[in-house]
Amino acid sequence: MKAVNLKTEHLVNPIGIDISEPYLSWNCLGGKKQTAYEIEAVSEGQVIWNSGKVISDKMNEIFGVPVASKQRISWRVRLWDETDTEGEWSEEAFFEMGILDRKQFVAKWINPELTCDPQVHKPASYLKTSFSVEKTGNARLYITCHGLYEAYINGSRVGNFVLAPGTYTYDKKLAYQTYDVTELVKEGQNEVQVILGDGWYRSCSGVDGDRNLYGEDVALYFQLEIDGKVVCISDENWLASQHGPIRENDMQQGEVIDATMEEVSGYHEVKIENFGVENLACSNCAPIAEMERFEGKIIKTPNGETVIDYGQNLAGYVEFTINAHAGDEIILTHGESLDENGNFTAENFQDRKRHKEGGTKQQVIYTCKEGENHYKSKFTIWGFRYAKVETTADLSAAKFTSIAVYSKMEQLGTFECSNADVNQLVKNSIWSQKSNFCDVPTDCPTRERAAWTGDMGVFVETGIFLEDCYPVIRKWLGECRLNQHDDGKVANIAPKNNHPSFFSGLLAGSVGWGDACIIVPYALYQRYGDKRVLEENYEMMQKWYHFLEERAKQKPVNPIKRLKRNPYRRYTIETGIDYGEWCEPDVESTNAMRTPQGKVATAYFAQSGKLLAEIAAILGRDEDAANYRKTAEQAKKAFRHIATEDGKIISDRQAEYVRAISFDLLTEEEKQQAAADLNELVVKNGYHLNTGFLSTPSLCPVLAQFGYVETAYKLLLQDTMPSWLYAVKKGATTIWENWDGINEKGEVKASLNHYSYGAITGWLFAGVCGIQLKEGKITIQPTPHKSLQYAKATYQSPVGEIISGWKYEGDKVIYEVEIPSNAEAEVILQDGRREVLAAGSYQL
């Protein structure tokens, strides 16, 4: 038996972390059962920790000795199997600490701009310096900025992190990166160049197009060390210029490039700034990276425009090579779709009246030099599949490529079945997740690029099936903590992407959205078993739930509700502003009050209280657990009082039934009746859903759980609107924000790249193929139906690869199951068979 997939803090060989007690994890390969493990850690050639033989089957451990600032530690694991046979040592993994002692930050903040007009878009700044070393060694660069940076040493790019340092609540936390630059530094004279762009710090942001959210400056912090000795820092000896090829740069609007200015000129002194280092921290997250590439195909649209089709909607930017004459101009405008006439459009994601610059441009304006021109975006990112080209240059030999840009995540899950449209739906879900996991999980890569709480709340369980996104979500939860209001409300968007308004402050109290601060950490813990994610966020959860408790104490404004007898008034939330179910078909979302808010709010009050009670118990806070459990039970009674007639739901909205059942707000008998009524509603609706944002992920699971498997499958396979496969039939390569993102006439609206409705993919893994993992326990409970001839899912889970599939041979179902080493699974089949299987491959 051998340990594989070694990770530190859920990351592979991270450089520059500042978690003082790193979490080590691994999987097992070979053998049935791990009975013991031993970890050995080495630093500077010396063994600094050996755990000894630990009798345990757990595949994780907290690092056993204190770590030091900048320390690099290699570690390995060996295992003993069920026969107590000692296995070989694993391959070595490593991690390296960042700067843990703030006194070791010795560089100075430097501002390259001598003057700054905050009202205009500005050129990128080019900074340079040089340093000399007599002898090379282990070289490390610690670097961050206000804005975005690209760093070069002796002409070679430092690292592959793009859009660095990432997005943060910069006034409270700003990440610096640690790079191993040993191979870039040479003996003698060394040249350094850093390019700074506007980034999240001061670009247009969100649907409002607000700029300068965190400041009007750009600035650099640069500290290079060799064997721990500082050899180069950002200081007054650097020079800077704004006379380079990047004439404008904006995350949302794009870039203006003049290739005739590629030789940077006009260098001048820099300004020293006193920004301090108190907000500097390691990201402890995956880097943003250039990932998949797609070659563009030039097409002519009916109106005569030249358009590039890259074939895949994504978030990223472009690269092109073209031969041209000096002064030729190329304008590329990027969008997600063609319109109803087959022409280019970017209008679907515009709010031109609201946006302070009249709309989201997503544009490159490139002035050519003579001969071959090569361009690749640096300081911008868009959502697009198409690009409209405006130019007089010859495109016959030009090459255009789109580059997907997102946090570097390994794909964990695969799903395949006999229905090609369902397979495409899964691919679309994966692409919408990739497109919206650029350092934090956002709603869309075009109009808003906002890290909404509600979106993550409904998608988290699906997201961790599809991609190795734990570090990204964990980082985002940290941003939620930083942005929580003093009264406990949770900012709907974290980090902020606009100037908060009075109304956005009110909506920060919206249930379903704020409850993500409980739902998301709970889901991560259930899947990964790392309770630190609960500890890190427990105070935020408590403050949010206290806010809900205070809401429940408020008397309803409606005089009829005030007079109506309610023995559970103290546990009923009937005041405040909520988004409600949101985006229900045939319900106007902007008028959220059309959805019964008291029912939604009280349901979440009960559900979050139940989850928080479980969390408190896990953390050993028994008194808290008892209090939250009591409140949740009373809120459950309150919900039943206001939302049912003696336990029966009376509504034509499917969400009312789904929420009550999935949150366990009814008795078992009442749930059976509610499920039957829900099934009848779906059938009467022609097997179409009418759930909205919050409840859609649970619709098929609830139906299948209560025996309405055929209805669940008919919903899944429905291809007329509203349905998941309608978009697939329309040629979608991502998940749309609205069910009718492109209507039957071909008219386009809203974002075409929102992951939220892709949460149905989670049911394909957990329901159709039945893979469930909770606190280390695997359950395989597939739900086959003849609507599909076969289905198979693989999942690279925290405990190893799990495979579950089934196929029909006549009326007989053949099951295929694979359980990873050091695990067992309870397998529950539709025909009533139930057994516990050890590690291995099985056909049942």
Side-chain angles (χ1 to χ4, degrees), residues 18-19 102 144-146 165-176 201 214 277-285 474-479 481-483 495:
D18 56 7
I19 297 171
R102 294 197 181 277
T144 190
C145 71
H146 291 176
T167 179
Y168 291 86
T169 306
Y170 296 113
D171 52 335
K172 297 179 181 179
K173 180 179 180 179
L174 171 58
Y176 66 90
Y201 194 84
Y214 291 97
V277 297
E278 292 307 310
N279 63 335
L280 296 189
C282 296
S283 69
N284 305 318
C285 192
R474 184 186 186 188
K475 176 205 160 168
W476 169 75
L477 285 168
E479 297 301 309
R481 296 195 297 272
L482 290 176
N483 286 274

Side-chain angles (χ1 to χ4, degrees), residues 718-729:
Q718 177 64 258
D719 61 9
T720 60
M721 193 191 49
S723 69
W724 291 283
L725 297 190
Y726 170 77
V728 174
K729 291 294 188 182

Side-chain angles (χ1 to χ4, degrees), residues 132-188:
S132 183
V133 294
E134 293 182 359
K135 184 180 179 182
T136 60
N138 287 319
R140 295 293 182 272
L141 173 60
Y142 305 97
I143 182 173
T144 190
C145 71
H146 291 176
L148 301 176
Y149 70 81
E150 275 193 6
Y152 298 82
I153 297 176
N154 297 319
S156 296
R157 169 90 187 264
V158 174
N160 58 10
F161 194 139
V162 300
L163 304 179
T167 179
Y168 291 86
T169 306
Y170 296 113
D171 52 335
K172 297 179 181 179
K173 180 179 180 179
L174 171 58
Y176 66 90
Q177 279 72 48
T178 303
Y179 296 101
D180 182 346
V181 293
T182 302
E183 299 301 316
L184 303 185
V185 178
K186 63 183 182 181
E187 291 182 2

Side-chain angles (χ1 to χ4, degrees), residues 17 20 65-73 96-98 100 104:
I17 61 173
S20 59
V65 295
V67 293
S69 186
K70 308 177 189 177
Q71 186 178 20
R72 186 183 180 98
I73 297 168
E96 185 171 319
M97 304 307 297
L100 304 183
Q104 294 177 331

Side-chain angles (χ1 to χ4, degrees), residues 663-683:
F663 285 4
D664 192 27
L665 299 175
L666 306 171
T667 67
E668 287 303 313
E669 184 178 344
E670 290 165 353
K671 282 190 286 187
Q672 291 286 350
Q673 181 60 55
D677 293 343
L678 171 63
N679 180 69
E680 185 177 348
L681 278 180
V682 174
V683 174

Side-chain angles (χ1 to χ4, degrees), residues 522-803:
Y522 181 80
L524 292 180
Y525 168 74
Q526 288 276 295
R527 192 72 61 86
Y528 286 85
D530 183 354
K531 71 177 182 180
R532 294 176 311 153
V533 74
L534 303 179
E535 294 167 345
E536 291 165 1
N537 295 289
Y538 188 67
E539 183 180 352
M540 174 171 63
M541 301 179 202
Q542 285 188 298
K543 288 172 65 178
W544 165 252
Y545 202 70
H546 177 71
F547 169 76
L548 293 184
E549 290 173 321
E550 292 300 305
R551 275 188 71 181
K553 292 177 183 178
Q554 298 171 12
K555 293 182 179 180
V557 176
N558 187 319
I560 297 175
K561 287 185 177 180
R562 282 206 306 270
L563 292 171
K564 187 177 181 181
R565 182 181 175 276
N566 181 356
Y568 309 104
R569 175 79 69 201
R570 187 181 167 190
Y571 301 96
T572 308
I573 298 179
E574 295 179 301
T575 62
I577 298 177
D578 295 295
Y579 287 107
E581 177 64 16
W582 197 251
C583 283
E584 289 178 278
D586 305 319
V587 174
E588 179 59 52
S589 292
T590 54
N591 186 0
M593 291 304 173
R594 293 189 186 180
T595 302
Q597 300 306 289
K599 298 177 185 178
V600 178
T602 305
Y604 272 94
F605 189 32
Q607 174 70 356
S608 285
K610 182 177 69 174
L611 297 182
L612 191 49
E614 287 186 43
I615 290 166
I618 291 165
L619 298 179
R621 299 172 180 261
D622 295 338
E623 185 177 346
D624 287 355
N627 290 334
Y628 292 132
R629 194 176 300 113
K630 178 182 177 182
T631 301
E633 289 170 354
Q634 293 299 107
K636 180 177 179 178
K637 294 175 182 177
F639 172 85
R640 192 175 180 279
H641 180 79
I642 67 168
T644 74
E645 295 183 8
D646 294 325
K648 183 174 175 60
I649 297 170
I650 308 296
S651 176
D652 62 355
R653 306 307 304 182
Q654 297 165 15
E656 299 288 327
Y657 301 84
V658 172
R659 185 178 300 109
I661 296 170
S662 62
F663 285 4
D664 192 27
L665 299 175
L666 306 171
T667 67
E668 287 303 313
E669 184 178 344
E670 290 165 353
K671 282 190 286 187
Q672 291 286 350
Q673 181 60 55
D677 293 343
L678 171 63
N679 180 69
E680 185 177 348
L681 278 180
V682 174
V683 174
K684 285 183 177 179
N685 204 32
Y687 295 98
H688 290 92
L689 51 78
N690 71 14
T691 46
F693 185 86
L694 293 178
S695 297
T696 296
S698 299
L699 178 56
C700 286
V702 162
L703 286 166
Q705 177 188 352
F706 284 86
Y708 302 102
V709 175
E710 182 175 0
T711 302
Y713 270 85
K714 285 187 174 181
L715 273 174
L716 171 68
L717 300 177
Q718 177 64 258
D719 61 9
T720 60
M721 193 191 49
S723 69
W724 291 283
L725 297 190
Y726 170 77
V728 174
K729 291 294 188 182
K730 284 290 184 181
T733 61
T734 44
I735 300 296
W736 296 346
E737 178 180 11
N738 297 96
W739 300 113
D740 58 346
I742 300 176
N743 65 22
E744 292 289 5
K745 297 178 182 178
E747 297 166 336
V748 190
K749 75 172 187 180
S751 166
L752 300 184
N753 203 345
H754 252 65
Y755 59 67
S756 300
Y757 284 137
I760 182 63
T761 306
W763 182 64
L764 300 179
F765 284 86
V768 172
C769 290
I771 298 175
Q772 299 163 35
L773 173 63
K774 293 183 178 180
E775 297 183 68
K777 180 185 176 183
I778 302 171
T779 303
I780 305 292
Q781 189 172 7
T783 312
H785 189 269
K786 279 194 170 182
S787 299
L788 300 177
Q789 283 302 300
Y790 71 89
K792 180 179 179 180
T794 67
Y795 175 40
Q796 302 291 337
S797 81
V799 299
E801 184 178 60
I802 305 170
I803 299 176

